[in-house]
Amino acid sequence: MSDEISEDIETMGPVDYLVVEFPGNRMTGEGLPLLVDLVDRGIIRILDLVFVRKDADGSVVALELKDAGGGDMDLTVFEGAASGLLGQDDIDEAGAALEAGNSAGILVYENVWAAPFARALRRGGAQLVAGGRIPVQALLASLDAMEA
């Protein structure tokens, strides 16, 4: 783990991760300016960003940033986003969730916006014991079921 993160651990906000699959290895880069904007506005801090590809034989290969984007996408702004939190076992697990022939971005980020709230809870002796995300598809399915 980087020194910066180990020094900040008591003041950090919650840390989340995302694995975003790109069917057919097609990364358009449409979301990249929005990700950079979140960082620039101090809403999140990127701790790790790794791109992987799952080949037809099922093997998972980590990609260099310069090779991940292809085309006109410039991913150099993310160079150095490696805290050490994301290990090979995490990459393998993400790869297992991918369909062969697809690629993915694995993003580990701190929710900087929530850090003051998290610090206040820790000072009071509270601790987070569970968390999760509800995918938009699940919300839509639930709403559709309620209407039926």
Side-chain angles (χ1 to χ4, degrees), residues 40-111:
D40 287 347
R41 290 189 294 141
I43 295 171
I44 67 167
R45 175 172 60 148
I46 296 175
L47 302 176
D48 283 292
L49 179 61
V50 174
F51 289 93
V52 297
R53 180 185 70 235
K54 188 169 188 176
D55 292 331
D57 65 2
S59 61
V60 178
V61 178
L63 303 172
E64 296 290 328
L65 281 181
K66 62 181 173 53
D67 299 328
D72 296 330
M73 277 195 332
D74 180 13
L75 299 174
T76 56
V77 69
F78 300 113
E79 284 181 358
S83 68
L85 292 173
L86 192 59
Q88 186 60 49
D89 55 336
D90 301 309
I91 292 170
D92 293 341
E93 188 176 334
L98 298 178
E99 294 291 326
N102 293 346
S103 58
I106 307 168
L107 177 66
V108 179
Y109 61 97
E110 174 193 2
N111 291 284

Side-chain angles (χ1 to χ4, degrees), residues 14-16 121-122 125-132:
V15 174
D16 287 325
L121 291 174
R122 284 191 291 265
Q127 62 182 346
L128 180 64
V129 295

Side-chain angles (χ1 to χ4, degrees), residues 109-120:
Y109 61 97
E110 174 193 2
N111 291 284
V112 177
W113 63 269
F117 177 62
R119 284 192 301 271

Side-chain angles (χ1 to χ4, degrees), residues 1 11-13 17-18 24 42 48 52 66 82 86 99 114 116 139 143:
M1 185 179 327
T11 61
M12 287 179 71
Y17 75 93
L18 298 172
D48 283 292
V52 297
K66 62 181 173 53
L86 192 59
E99 294 291 326
L139 289 173
L143 291 172

